[in-house]
Amino acid sequence: MSNKHVFTWRTLAIVAGAALVVRRVVRGRIPAPVPSPDSGRSGARGLKLLVTAHERLADGVAGIRLEGHGLPRWEPGAHVDLVLPSGLVRQYSLCGDPEDTSSYTVAARLVEDGRGGSREVHEQVQEGTELEVRGPRNRFPLVEAPSYVFVAGGIGITPILPMLRALPEGTEWRLLYGGRTRASMPFLEDVEKLDAGRERSGTGVPPAEGRGRVTVVAEDEDGLPDLDAFLADLPEGAAVYCCGPEGLMAAVGERLPEGTALHLERFAPRTTAGGDGEFEVELHRSGRTLTVPAGSSVLAAVRTELPNTPYSCEQGWCGTCQQRVLEGEIDHRDELLTDSERGDSMLICVSRARSARLVLDL
Ligand code: FES
């Protein structure tokens, strides 16, 4: 087992069960995110859908079916925003049938020490609850490639499962699916069924002639997967997809040869508010100047003066806290805003200042 592993499946308990931020990386070069045609941020218009099933899929994972009429079709990798009864917005990968225009299916992991969204989904949302659903949108699209390599950690299987189902017959692919325990891994049976003639290795050794294409690694039984072995001898031009904890994605990225296309979907933002230096924020219309201390956010400072300032996710996913910036250099820390939006606005829950002062149109 490589000592380069820097993650444990246990970290899945820390990150949310919601699909959040995606980036596409070519190993050795990190281009600006390239939005897919339907990747625009959800506007205010959402559909009111009825929860018609709310069931346990695995330990700590709830499967939710939302029904409506004439729902937009979606592509594998897409997610929707659920507006919860409290007003919190959480994003979940769609994991049902993309052609089904009467229902959407998502899976949500309960985050015990989270910020309340996943607990609300588990404990407040039930059959008969009506939820506003925004999207779908797709920042994790399945690109054309001669072959595919997938790595999923726990709830990270949700965007990958529809991809596996969509691959044309004869496509070369392999999947490493890991989790803390088999009981905590949703869709395990579905994944294993996709692997005709499978042979559960529990090691991460890449498939070869006559072996299965799916490797399931449960940490309590098998330890950590051998990513070096799984990612060795990548086929020429293979597209690598990874969804799971940050440490897993970093570990996969470290092991890819230069030039390999790596597609990532995060379950938590790469950077969060805090940790950097102090700066000032002037609220232009209010005529007040505030200090944003290290370890705190612009949003927190602004809300001391303007407590009704809107926000929801506090992690740079939903766009609710977007504000216009009149002066100053922004340190953008989200992956949601478009380049043109970044010119004069920021998400004040995560982004900070590169200059000593920002002036907001508030
Ligand atoms: Fe959601 Fe800031 S509150 S992006």
Side-chain angles (χ1 to χ4, degrees):
M1 183 102 21
S2 164
N3 59 11
K4 284 201 285 181
H5 287 119
V6 293
F7 67 94
T8 70
W9 303 116
R10 204 169 305 282
T11 55
L12 280 170
I14 298 168
V15 298
L20 305 179
V21 182
V22 180
R23 70 173 178 169
R24 207 170 311 165
V25 175
V26 175
R27 177 80 172 98
R29 183 169 64 88
I30 303 181
V34 181
S36 61
D38 61 341
S39 68
R41 186 145 41 86
S42 306
R45 282 187 306 121
L47 296 169
K48 293 283 188 186
L49 302 186
L50 191 66
V51 175
T52 56
H54 189 290
E55 59 193 10
R56 181 186 172 282
L57 291 182
D59 287 353
V61 180
I64 297 156
R65 188 174 69 239
L66 298 129
E67 292 195 12
H69 297 289
L71 304 183
R73 287 192 168 77
W74 50 277
E75 299 288 332
H79 66 270
V80 288
D81 296 343
L82 298 191
V83 183
L84 303 178
S86 65
L88 288 174
V89 179
R90 293 292 181 266
Q91 298 179 325
Y92 293 95
S93 294
L94 289 163
C95 52
D97 175 2
E99 296 300 314
D100 180 359
T101 57
S102 63
S103 74
Y104 289 148
T105 303
V106 298
R109 177 175 295 285
L110 175 64
V111 184
E112 294 288 352
D113 55 355
R115 291 164 305 113
S118 74
R119 186 166 295 284
E120 187 175 351
V121 168
H122 275 250
E123 296 176 2
Q124 308 296 323
V125 172
Q126 53 193 330
E127 283 182 30
T129 304
E130 193 178 63
L131 291 180
E132 182 182 338
V133 178
R134 298 174 187 163
R137 51 193 166 135
N138 196 351
R139 298 189 179 203
F140 193 44
L142 189 60
V143 298
E144 273 189 38
S147 62
Y148 299 87
V149 173
F150 300 97
V151 180
I155 196 73
I157 194 64
T158 50
I160 287 175
L161 184 58
M163 293 183 181
L164 298 177
R165 289 175 173 146
L167 291 176
E169 193 73 31
T171 303
E172 188 184 343
W173 63 270
R174 65 198 198 211
L175 164 71
L176 173 64
Y177 179 22
R180 287 175 294 126
T181 64
R182 287 179 70 85
S184 71
M185 296 164 70
F187 303 113
L188 193 50
E189 239 178 69
D190 305 70
V191 166
E192 290 183 327
K193 274 187 201 153
L194 288 168
D195 186 13
R198 68 181 179 274
E199 184 177 297
R200 182 172 170 267
S201 70
T203 62
V205 174
E209 195 86 27
R211 297 191 58 164
R213 294 183 290 188
V214 174
T215 301
V216 174
V217 182
E219 187 181 341
D220 63 336
E221 298 173 26
D222 309 312
L224 292 173
D226 188 344
L227 286 176
D228 290 316
F230 184 76
L231 297 171
D233 303 323
L234 288 179
E236 181 76 27
V240 181
Y241 283 78
C242 181
C243 183
E246 187 69 34
L248 172 64
M249 294 191 290
V252 169
E254 281 169 16
R255 285 162 175 79
L256 297 183
E258 196 78 19
T260 306
L262 171 60
H263 306 261
L264 300 173
E265 182 160 26
R266 288 201 154 74
F267 283 77
R270 192 147 48 104
T271 53
T272 55
D276 287 355
E278 179 178 296
F279 56 96
E280 285 193 342
V281 170
E282 181 184 325
L283 308 182
H284 179 68
R285 281 182 280 138
S286 309
R288 304 297 300 261
T289 297
L290 311 168
T291 298
V292 179
S296 188
S297 67
V298 176
L299 174 66
V302 167
R303 282 179 58 83
T304 61
E305 279 300 319
L306 303 171
N308 293 328
T309 304
Y311 73 101
S312 179
C313 71
E314 290 184 85
Q315 296 205 30
W317 325 328
C318 70
T320 309
C321 66
Q322 182 175 349
Q323 294 295 342
R324 207 153 82 83
V325 180
L326 303 175
E327 278 177 43
E329 197 184 345
I330 308 163
D331 178 6
H332 290 287
R333 298 191 174 194
D334 65 283
E335 295 184 56
L336 181 71
L337 296 184
T338 63
D339 285 347
S340 63
E341 287 173 318
R342 284 169 194 272
D344 67 354
S345 68
M346 68 186 287
L347 299 182
I348 61 172
C349 65
V350 291
S351 295
R352 301 181 68 81
R354 290 192 195 285
S355 50
R357 195 175 69 114
L358 290 177
V359 181
L360 301 182
D361 188 17
L362 276 171

